[in-house]
Amino acid sequence: MLILKLYFFVMPVLVNFSDTSKNTFVVIGEAYNEKDGAWVLSKTGKENYFLEGIEQWDEKIVGKKVKVWGRLLIEKLEKAPSSVSPAPGVPPPPIPQQLIGLEKRTILKAKWKLIR
């Protein structure tokens, strides 16, 4: 019995369950489009949230206030390797496009409604 208690106590610590919330996450902010898809800039203006399942906002919605809910997924971003010239006299490959920041926040199975 003691082994089972230890197992159920230690396993959540060893396996990182904190990346995806189990509860519904709600954000209120402005709707925007980007190459990666639709996203919402939070009301505080500090975080942006990408939306799974919504490719892009309709032109009538962009810039308007929306309420979005779903499960939150936070992914750690890794910096792309720097471009190094393969040989002297050969130009380095182009720098790939990438998100800037430490993490990418995505709302999974996103649902939304317009706020007036």
Side-chain angles (χ1 to χ4, degrees):
M1 189 64 159
L2 179 63
I3 294 174
L4 278 175
K5 287 182 181 179
L6 281 173
Y7 175 79
F8 287 115
F9 176 76
V10 173
M11 282 310 293
V13 175
L14 295 177
V15 180
N16 187 4
F17 288 114
S18 64
D19 286 345
T20 306
S21 67
K22 305 285 187 233
N23 300 325
T24 300
F25 178 79
V26 178
V27 65
I28 295 174
E30 293 184 22
Y32 291 100
N33 287 325
E34 202 170 272
K35 284 184 181 181
D36 289 351
W39 60 281
V40 174
L41 179 63
S42 69
K43 190 175 176 180
T44 60
K46 294 184 180 177
E47 294 98 17
N48 58 342
Y49 298 90
F50 288 90
L51 308 177
E52 178 192 63
I54 302 174
E55 293 299 318
Q56 68 178 32
W57 294 107
D58 188 82
E59 293 293 322
K60 299 173 188 172
I61 306 295
V62 173
K64 296 201 176 163
K65 197 174 199 180
V66 292
K67 177 180 179 181
V68 181
W69 62 94
R71 288 183 34 216
L72 179 63
L73 172 67
I74 300 175
E75 300 172 276
K76 302 290 181 198
L77 295 178
E78 296 180 17
K79 191 172 183 177
S82 61
S83 297
V84 178
S85 180
V90 177
I95 299 171
Q97 291 184 352
Q98 65 181 5
L99 291 173
I100 297 174
L102 300 175
E103 59 191 22
K104 177 182 179 184
R105 291 168 295 281
T106 305
I107 299 178
L108 304 174
K109 298 182 181 178
K111 295 184 171 114
W112 65 277
K113 77 174 187 179
L114 192 61
I115 296 179
R116 296 178 190 242

